[in-house]
Amino acid sequence: MSKSIYDDGLDKNAANFAALSPLSFLAWSADVYPQRPSVIHGARRYTWSQTYDRARRLASALVRRGVQKGETVSAMLANTPEMYETHFGVPMSGAVLNAVNTRLDPDAVAFILRHAEAKVVLVDREYAAKVEAAVAQLEQPPLIVDVLDPEYQGSGKPVGALDYEALLAEGDPAFVWQLPTNEWDAISLNYTSGTTGNPKGVVYHHRGAYLGALSNALEGELPRHAVYLWTLPMFHCNGWCFPWTLAAKAGVNVCLRKVEAGAIFNAIREHKVTHYCGAPVVHSLLVEAPAQLREGIAHKVSALVGGAAPSLALVEGMARIGIDLTHIYGLTEVYGPASICAKHEEWKQLDVGQQAERNGRQGVRCLLQEGCSVVDPETLVEVPRDGQTIGEIVYRGNLTMKGYLKNKK
């Protein structure tokens, strides 16, 4: 077959092609909206230019400490500014971010750190003793960096060789980072729950994280400068890729250490939160909270629910308190949300119960996920779309993981 005229002299080059990476979102927001708020946590306030500087300091400091491309930096942190910064600073250094589930026991943490070959572990004081016990089991202990969050009121003690701010002080805010040479390069490593054996290390690449972040913006209908409340742990599928989404929208990240109804409603009221995500239990806290906690909230709040199917009562309850709830489905292997309840305008003409029934559905693939189906597990043939036949959910496309990190012998 002869070469097409459209292939003649029309190759990719630096002028017309760049690897897709969500790191570019942070650089854009810092350039276009440098003085707009990026992260809020208690008394701490950062702008997009400050977050960009801190991420570059982190990247620079990691490189100076000897962290190399493709190595792992683990983080066992609460939803704090430091956790947000790792989603940019770690991959800016060329390393891979491994956000560890803070609810795991020391043995599970030790397995993850060993399997990931972690070179550095960033740890919040609340989880310091757990990480110390986990690291004691390792043959090659990583560098431990303490994160001292002023909002933490517990008794945990630092256990690391230095603290996070000291590490940042070693770095250069003008650090010249590079986009990945290949958008297929790993950006993060997330572990499954391990309910069927040892946890599996799910590897995300820059391209998938970029598209996952944009998918959230599209499907969640986030406007420019959306105000997002962190009720969802950032260790869970990298916060469903929302750290990168907020950078793409130059939004505001409102951090929250502890998920409580009063704290959530206070944050919504004070910061005019527009969006948040969480499992049904998080939304139930709000539905069941005393009505006085909701006083003074008149603006629209949109929320995504996933992790488990919401009950009809929960969907109805959220509508009753004025929060626009959308049901999503996904898993670690598909960057978080990969299918969604695609609402129809005519549903608004139905009664409350019928609306709740339809709004509780999900299963339509997100726009940026190429394929989603339910198949017979034996034949892999798609089952009837009748709402009754049971099968296995399968995905393929841009929002599907790079693969599992291989188990070492």
Side-chain angles (χ1 to χ4, degrees):
M1 184 176 178
S2 61
K3 189 174 184 180
S4 168
I5 58 173
Y6 299 105
D7 295 325
D8 187 10
L10 300 176
D11 296 331
K12 292 184 295 186
N13 59 61
N16 64 20
F17 177 84
L20 300 182
S21 170
L23 302 182
S24 63
F25 299 151
L26 177 56
W28 181 86
S29 283
D31 182 41
V32 180
Y33 297 107
Q35 300 310 313
R36 284 199 64 91
S38 57
V39 183
I40 295 174
H41 185 47
R44 290 196 281 168
R45 301 288 193 276
Y46 297 105
T47 65
W48 281 109
S49 64
Q50 290 172 328
T51 294
Y52 188 34
D53 286 353
R54 287 172 64 83
R56 283 187 291 176
R57 281 187 181 275
L58 175 57
S60 172
L62 291 173
V63 171
R64 290 178 177 181
R65 285 273 174 170
V67 175
Q68 299 182 24
K69 181 181 185 297
E71 293 187 328
T72 305
V73 174
S74 297
M76 198 165 194
L77 303 174
N79 281 351
T80 61
E82 294 81 7
M83 183 59 140
Y84 188 76
E85 291 158 9
T86 64
H87 281 76
F88 299 92
V90 171
M92 279 178 173
S93 75
V96 178
L97 173 63
N98 166 224
V100 183
N101 186 335
T102 59
R103 299 162 188 160
L104 298 176
D105 60 37
D107 289 345
V109 175
F111 171 86
I112 288 172
L113 297 181
R114 182 183 294 110
H115 188 249
E117 299 180 358
K119 303 300 180 184
V120 179
V121 181
L122 310 176
V123 56
D124 188 283
R125 278 182 296 175
E126 184 173 352
Y127 319 113
K130 187 184 297 188
V131 169
E132 186 177 40
V135 168
Q137 302 180 37
L138 304 181
E139 299 76 23
Q140 295 180 315
L143 171 69
I144 300 179
V145 178
D146 291 299
V147 172
L148 310 177
D149 176 21
E151 294 299 304
Y152 175 61
Q153 302 300 318
S155 58
K157 302 297 182 183
V159 296
L162 76 165
D163 68 59
Y164 183 81
E165 292 301 325
L167 179 66
L168 291 195
E170 297 178 4
D172 180 2
F175 176 70
V176 180
W177 58 277
Q178 301 293 327
L179 285 171
T181 54
N182 186 342
E183 60 191 22
W184 193 253
D185 286 350
I187 188 172
S188 66
L189 171 66
N190 294 292
Y191 281 82
T192 60
S193 63
T195 53
T196 57
N198 284 330
K200 295 184 286 293
V202 174
V203 181
Y204 292 173
H205 48 65
H206 284 256
R207 171 185 169 83
Y210 179 102
L211 294 172
L214 295 185
S215 179
N216 289 337
L218 288 169
E219 303 293 356
E221 299 182 357
L222 270 72
R224 182 68 51 81
H225 310 313
V227 182
Y228 184 88
L229 178 62
W230 277 105
T231 52
L232 177 76
M234 280 189 240
F235 68 67
H236 188 192
C237 308
N238 295 115
W240 295 358
C241 292
F242 271 92
W244 301 310
T245 300
L246 270 294
K249 285 294 186 177
V252 183
N253 295 271
V254 180
C255 294
L256 191 66
R257 273 200 77 95
K258 195 170 183 181
V259 177
E260 298 174 326
I264 292 172
F265 281 122
N266 287 341
I268 291 174
R269 186 167 34 248
E270 179 182 356
H271 303 294
K272 296 295 186 290
V273 168
T274 60
H275 293 77
Y276 75 94
C277 301
V281 64
V282 174
H283 305 291
S284 293
L285 284 174
L286 307 188
V287 170
E288 297 167 3
Q292 59 265 31
L293 290 182
R294 302 193 295 269
E295 291 179 0
I297 298 174
H299 65 282
K300 180 181 177 181
V301 180
S302 298
L304 297 181
V305 59
S311 67
L312 185 60
L314 175 60
V315 177
E316 289 180 338
M318 293 294 283
R320 186 176 65 252
I321 66 173
I323 296 179
D324 182 22
L325 187 69
T326 299
H327 188 194
I328 62 92
Y329 175 80
L331 58 159
T332 308
E333 286 84 346
V334 292
Y335 294 82
S339 57
I340 193 167
C341 174
K343 298 179 181 178
H344 292 241
E345 190 67 23
E346 54 267 27
W347 292 356
K348 295 179 181 179
Q349 308 305 315
L350 303 175
D351 63 41
V352 174
Q354 290 174 314
Q355 286 188 45
E357 185 276 327
R358 284 162 176 77
N359 288 337
R361 298 174 179 176
Q362 53 72 30
V364 177
R365 64 180 173 86
C366 291
L367 178 63
L368 298 186
Q369 179 67 299
E370 192 62 28
C372 172
S373 187
V374 180
V375 302
D376 182 292
E378 299 296 328
T379 65
L380 300 185
V381 174
E382 186 175 276
V383 302
R385 299 190 178 192
D386 56 10
Q388 300 294 324
T389 307
I390 295 175
E392 296 287 342
I393 300 170
V394 291
Y395 287 104
R396 64 174 176 84
N398 297 310
L399 304 185
T400 304
M401 65 175 178
K402 180 171 181 172
Y404 291 117
L405 193 67
K406 289 185 177 179
N407 288 309
K408 295 153 182 95
K409 295 181 180 179

Short mmCIF file of all heavy atoms in Angstrom, two decimals, residues 330-366:
data_model
loop_
_atom_site.label_atom_id
_atom_site.label_comp_id
_atom_site.label_asym_id
_atom_site.label_seq_id
_atom_site.Cartn_x
_atom_site.Cartn_y
_atom_site.Cartn_z
N GLY A 330 -17.44 3.06 39.36
CA GLY A 330 -16.09 2.85 38.87
C GLY A 330 -15.34 1.98 39.85
O GLY A 330 -15.92 1.39 40.75
N LEU A 331 -14.04 1.91 39.70
CA LEU A 331 -13.18 1.16 40.59
C LEU A 331 -11.75 1.63 40.39
O LEU A 331 -11.47 2.46 39.50
CB LEU A 331 -13.31 -0.35 40.35
CG LEU A 331 -13.00 -0.91 38.97
CD1 LEU A 331 -12.67 -2.40 39.09
CD2 LEU A 331 -14.20 -0.76 38.03
N THR A 332 -10.86 1.14 41.23
CA THR A 332 -9.48 1.59 41.16
C THR A 332 -8.92 1.42 39.75
O THR A 332 -8.17 2.27 39.26
CB THR A 332 -8.61 0.81 42.16
OG1 THR A 332 -9.21 0.88 43.46
CG2 THR A 332 -7.21 1.38 42.23
N GLU A 333 -9.27 0.32 39.11
CA GLU A 333 -8.68 0.01 37.81
C GLU A 333 -9.13 0.94 36.68
O GLU A 333 -8.58 0.89 35.57
CB GLU A 333 -9.03 -1.44 37.43
CG GLU A 333 -8.26 -2.49 38.22
CD GLU A 333 -8.85 -2.84 39.57
OE1 GLU A 333 -9.74 -2.08 40.05
OE2 GLU A 333 -8.45 -3.86 40.16
N VAL A 334 -10.12 1.80 36.91
CA VAL A 334 -10.59 2.71 35.86
C VAL A 334 -10.55 4.17 36.32
O VAL A 334 -11.39 4.97 35.94
CB VAL A 334 -12.00 2.33 35.34
CG1 VAL A 334 -11.94 1.02 34.58
CG2 VAL A 334 -13.01 2.24 36.49
N TYR A 335 -9.54 4.50 37.14
CA TYR A 335 -9.31 5.88 37.55
C TYR A 335 -10.46 6.47 38.38
O TYR A 335 -10.61 7.69 38.45
CB TYR A 335 -9.06 6.79 36.33
CG TYR A 335 -7.78 6.49 35.58
CD1 TYR A 335 -7.71 5.45 34.65
CD2 TYR A 335 -6.62 7.23 35.80
CE1 TYR A 335 -6.55 5.17 33.96
CE2 TYR A 335 -5.45 6.96 35.10
CZ TYR A 335 -5.42 5.93 34.18
OH TYR A 335 -4.26 5.66 33.50
N GLY A 336 -11.27 5.62 39.00
CA GLY A 336 -12.42 6.13 39.74
C GLY A 336 -13.67 6.08 38.88
O GLY A 336 -14.02 5.03 38.34
N PRO A 337 -14.38 7.21 38.70
CA PRO A 337 -15.63 7.20 37.93
C PRO A 337 -15.40 6.87 36.46
O PRO A 337 -14.56 7.49 35.79
CB PRO A 337 -16.14 8.65 38.06
CG PRO A 337 -15.43 9.20 39.25
CD PRO A 337 -14.09 8.52 39.29
N ALA A 338 -16.13 5.87 35.95
CA ALA A 338 -16.02 5.53 34.53
C ALA A 338 -17.39 5.34 33.89
O ALA A 338 -17.51 5.27 32.67
CB ALA A 338 -15.19 4.26 34.33
N SER A 339 -18.44 5.23 34.71
CA SER A 339 -19.81 5.23 34.20
C SER A 339 -20.66 6.07 35.14
O SER A 339 -20.31 6.30 36.29
CB SER A 339 -20.35 3.81 34.05
OG SER A 339 -20.31 3.11 35.28
N ILE A 340 -21.80 6.52 34.64
CA ILE A 340 -22.55 7.56 35.34
C ILE A 340 -24.03 7.46 35.03
O ILE A 340 -24.44 6.84 34.03
CB ILE A 340 -22.00 8.95 34.92
CG1 ILE A 340 -22.51 10.07 35.84
CG2 ILE A 340 -22.31 9.25 33.45
CD1 ILE A 340 -21.76 11.38 35.66
N CYS A 341 -24.83 8.06 35.87
CA CYS A 341 -26.25 8.23 35.58
C CYS A 341 -26.39 9.44 34.66
O CYS A 341 -26.19 10.58 35.09
CB CYS A 341 -27.05 8.45 36.86
SG CYS A 341 -28.79 8.83 36.57
N ALA A 342 -26.69 9.18 33.40
CA ALA A 342 -26.89 10.28 32.44
C ALA A 342 -28.35 10.73 32.55
O ALA A 342 -29.27 10.08 32.03
CB ALA A 342 -26.57 9.82 31.02
N LYS A 343 -28.58 11.82 33.23
CA LYS A 343 -29.94 12.27 33.52
C LYS A 343 -30.63 12.82 32.27
O LYS A 343 -29.97 13.39 31.39
CB LYS A 343 -29.92 13.33 34.62
CG LYS A 343 -29.36 12.81 35.94
CD LYS A 343 -29.32 13.90 36.99
CE LYS A 343 -28.74 13.39 38.30
NZ LYS A 343 -28.66 14.46 39.32
N HIS A 344 -31.94 12.65 32.22
CA HIS A 344 -32.73 13.13 31.10
C HIS A 344 -33.66 14.25 31.57
O HIS A 344 -34.24 14.17 32.66
CB HIS A 344 -33.57 11.99 30.50
CG HIS A 344 -32.74 10.95 29.81
ND1 HIS A 344 -32.88 10.65 28.47
CD2 HIS A 344 -31.74 10.14 30.27
CE1 HIS A 344 -32.02 9.70 28.13
NE2 HIS A 344 -31.32 9.38 29.21
N GLU A 345 -33.80 15.26 30.74
CA GLU A 345 -34.59 16.43 31.11
C GLU A 345 -36.04 16.06 31.44
O GLU A 345 -36.64 16.62 32.37
CB GLU A 345 -34.56 17.45 29.96
CG GLU A 345 -35.13 18.81 30.30
CD GLU A 345 -34.30 19.58 31.32
OE1 GLU A 345 -33.09 19.28 31.45
OE2 GLU A 345 -34.87 20.46 31.98
N GLU A 346 -36.60 15.09 30.72
CA GLU A 346 -38.00 14.73 30.93
C GLU A 346 -38.25 14.07 32.29
O GLU A 346 -39.41 13.97 32.73
CB GLU A 346 -38.51 13.82 29.81
CG GLU A 346 -37.71 12.58 29.55
CD GLU A 346 -36.63 12.77 28.49
OE1 GLU A 346 -36.16 13.93 28.32
OE2 GLU A 346 -36.27 11.77 27.83
N TRP A 347 -37.18 13.62 32.95
CA TRP A 347 -37.37 13.01 34.27
C TRP A 347 -37.93 14.03 35.26
O TRP A 347 -38.55 13.66 36.26
CB TRP A 347 -36.05 12.46 34.81
CG TRP A 347 -35.53 11.27 34.04
CD1 TRP A 347 -36.15 10.61 33.01
CD2 TRP A 347 -34.29 10.60 34.26
NE1 TRP A 347 -35.36 9.57 32.56
CE2 TRP A 347 -34.21 9.54 33.32
CE3 TRP A 347 -33.23 10.78 35.15
CZ2 TRP A 347 -33.12 8.68 33.24
CZ3 TRP A 347 -32.15 9.92 35.09
CH2 TRP A 347 -32.10 8.88 34.14
N LYS A 348 -37.70 15.31 35.01
CA LYS A 348 -38.17 16.35 35.92
C LYS A 348 -39.70 16.42 35.99
O LYS A 348 -40.25 17.01 36.92
CB LYS A 348 -37.61 17.71 35.51
CG LYS A 348 -36.10 17.81 35.64
CD LYS A 348 -35.60 19.17 35.20
CE LYS A 348 -34.08 19.26 35.32
NZ LYS A 348 -33.55 20.58 34.86
N GLN A 349 -40.35 15.83 34.99
CA GLN A 349 -41.81 15.82 34.97
C GLN A 349 -42.39 14.70 35.82
O GLN A 349 -43.60 14.65 36.06
CB GLN A 349 -42.31 15.68 33.53
CG GLN A 349 -41.72 16.68 32.54
CD GLN A 349 -41.92 18.12 32.99
OE1 GLN A 349 -43.01 18.50 33.43
NE2 GLN A 349 -40.86 18.93 32.88
N LEU A 350 -41.56 13.79 36.30
CA LEU A 350 -42.02 12.66 37.09
C LEU A 350 -42.18 13.05 38.56
O LEU A 350 -41.65 14.09 39.00
CB LEU A 350 -41.02 11.50 36.98
CG LEU A 350 -40.71 11.00 35.56
CD1 LEU A 350 -39.61 9.95 35.60
CD2 LEU A 350 -41.97 10.44 34.90
N ASP A 351 -42.88 12.21 39.32
CA ASP A 351 -43.00 12.50 40.74
C ASP A 351 -41.67 12.21 41.43
O ASP A 351 -40.75 11.62 40.84
CB ASP A 351 -44.15 11.71 41.37
CG ASP A 351 -43.96 10.20 41.32
OD1 ASP A 351 -42.82 9.72 41.54
OD2 ASP A 351 -44.94 9.48 41.04
N VAL A 352 -41.57 12.60 42.69
CA VAL A 352 -40.30 12.52 43.42
C VAL A 352 -39.77 11.09 43.47
O VAL A 352 -38.58 10.84 43.26
CB VAL A 352 -40.46 13.08 44.85
CG1 VAL A 352 -39.18 12.87 45.65
CG2 VAL A 352 -40.80 14.56 44.80
N GLY A 353 -40.65 10.13 43.73
CA GLY A 353 -40.22 8.74 43.81
C GLY A 353 -39.68 8.22 42.50
O GLY A 353 -38.65 7.53 42.47
N GLN A 354 -40.35 8.55 41.40
CA GLN A 354 -39.89 8.10 40.09
C GLN A 354 -38.57 8.77 39.71
O GLN A 354 -37.69 8.15 39.12
CB GLN A 354 -40.96 8.40 39.04
CG GLN A 354 -42.20 7.54 39.17
CD GLN A 354 -43.30 7.97 38.20
OE1 GLN A 354 -43.59 9.16 38.06
NE2 GLN A 354 -43.90 7.00 37.52
N GLN A 355 -38.43 10.04 40.05
CA GLN A 355 -37.17 10.73 39.78
C GLN A 355 -36.03 10.07 40.57
O GLN A 355 -34.94 9.85 40.03
CB GLN A 355 -37.27 12.20 40.19
CG GLN A 355 -38.09 13.06 39.24
CD GLN A 355 -37.97 14.53 39.60
OE1 GLN A 355 -36.88 15.03 39.86
NE2 GLN A 355 -39.09 15.23 39.63
N ALA A 356 -36.30 9.77 41.83
CA ALA A 356 -35.27 9.16 42.66
C ALA A 356 -34.86 7.80 42.11
O ALA A 356 -33.67 7.45 42.11
CB ALA A 356 -35.77 9.02 44.09
N GLU A 357 -35.83 7.03 41.62
CA GLU A 357 -35.52 5.71 41.05
C GLU A 357 -34.60 5.84 39.86
O GLU A 357 -33.62 5.11 39.73
CB GLU A 357 -36.81 5.00 40.67
CG GLU A 357 -36.65 3.57 40.19
CD GLU A 357 -36.31 3.47 38.70
OE1 GLU A 357 -36.79 4.33 37.93
OE2 GLU A 357 -35.56 2.55 38.31
N ARG A 358 -34.86 6.80 39.00
CA ARG A 358 -34.02 6.98 37.81
C ARG A 358 -32.68 7.61 38.16
O ARG A 358 -31.64 7.24 37.61
CB ARG A 358 -34.77 7.81 36.77
CG ARG A 358 -35.85 7.01 36.05
CD ARG A 358 -36.87 7.90 35.37
NE ARG A 358 -37.83 7.11 34.60
CZ ARG A 358 -38.84 6.43 35.15
NH1 ARG A 358 -39.01 6.45 36.47
NH2 ARG A 358 -39.69 5.74 34.39
N ASN A 359 -32.70 8.55 39.09
CA ASN A 359 -31.44 9.20 39.48
C ASN A 359 -30.53 8.27 40.26
O ASN A 359 -29.33 8.54 40.40
CB ASN A 359 -31.73 10.45 40.30
CG ASN A 359 -32.29 11.58 39.46
OD1 ASN A 359 -32.09 11.62 38.25
ND2 ASN A 359 -33.01 12.49 40.09
N GLY A 360 -31.07 7.17 40.76
CA GLY A 360 -30.25 6.20 41.46
C GLY A 360 -29.54 5.24 40.53
O GLY A 360 -28.71 4.43 40.95
N ARG A 361 -29.84 5.33 39.26
CA ARG A 361 -29.21 4.43 38.29
C ARG A 361 -27.80 4.92 37.95
O ARG A 361 -27.44 6.07 38.17
CB ARG A 361 -30.02 4.39 36.99
CG ARG A 361 -31.44 3.87 37.12
CD ARG A 361 -32.15 4.03 35.78
NE ARG A 361 -33.51 3.52 35.81
CZ ARG A 361 -34.35 3.62 34.78
NH1 ARG A 361 -33.97 4.19 33.67
NH2 ARG A 361 -35.58 3.15 34.89
N GLN A 362 -27.03 4.04 37.36
CA GLN A 362 -25.77 4.40 36.69
C GLN A 362 -25.47 3.28 35.71
O GLN A 362 -26.14 2.26 35.69
CB GLN A 362 -24.64 4.62 37.68
CG GLN A 362 -24.37 3.50 38.66
CD GLN A 362 -23.73 2.28 38.04
OE1 GLN A 362 -22.99 2.39 37.08
NE2 GLN A 362 -24.04 1.13 38.59
N GLY A 363 -24.47 3.45 34.88
CA GLY A 363 -24.12 2.39 33.95
C GLY A 363 -23.87 2.88 32.54
O GLY A 363 -23.40 2.13 31.70
N VAL A 364 -24.19 4.15 32.27
CA VAL A 364 -23.84 4.73 30.97
C VAL A 364 -22.37 5.13 31.03
O VAL A 364 -21.95 5.83 31.95
CB VAL A 364 -24.71 5.96 30.67
CG1 VAL A 364 -24.29 6.60 29.36
CG2 VAL A 364 -26.18 5.57 30.63
N ARG A 365 -21.58 4.68 30.08
CA ARG A 365 -20.15 4.99 30.12
C ARG A 365 -19.91 6.49 30.05
O ARG A 365 -20.65 7.22 29.39
CB ARG A 365 -19.42 4.30 28.96
CG ARG A 365 -19.80 4.77 27.58
CD ARG A 365 -19.01 4.01 26.50
NE ARG A 365 -19.48 4.33 25.16
CZ ARG A 365 -19.05 5.37 24.44
NH1 ARG A 365 -18.14 6.18 24.96
NH2 ARG A 365 -19.52 5.59 23.23
N CYS A 366 -18.93 6.93 30.78
CA CYS A 366 -18.52 8.33 30.69
C CYS A 366 -18.02 8.61 29.27
O CYS A 366 -17.50 7.72 28.59
CB CYS A 366 -17.43 8.64 31.71
SG CYS A 366 -18.01 8.61 33.42
#
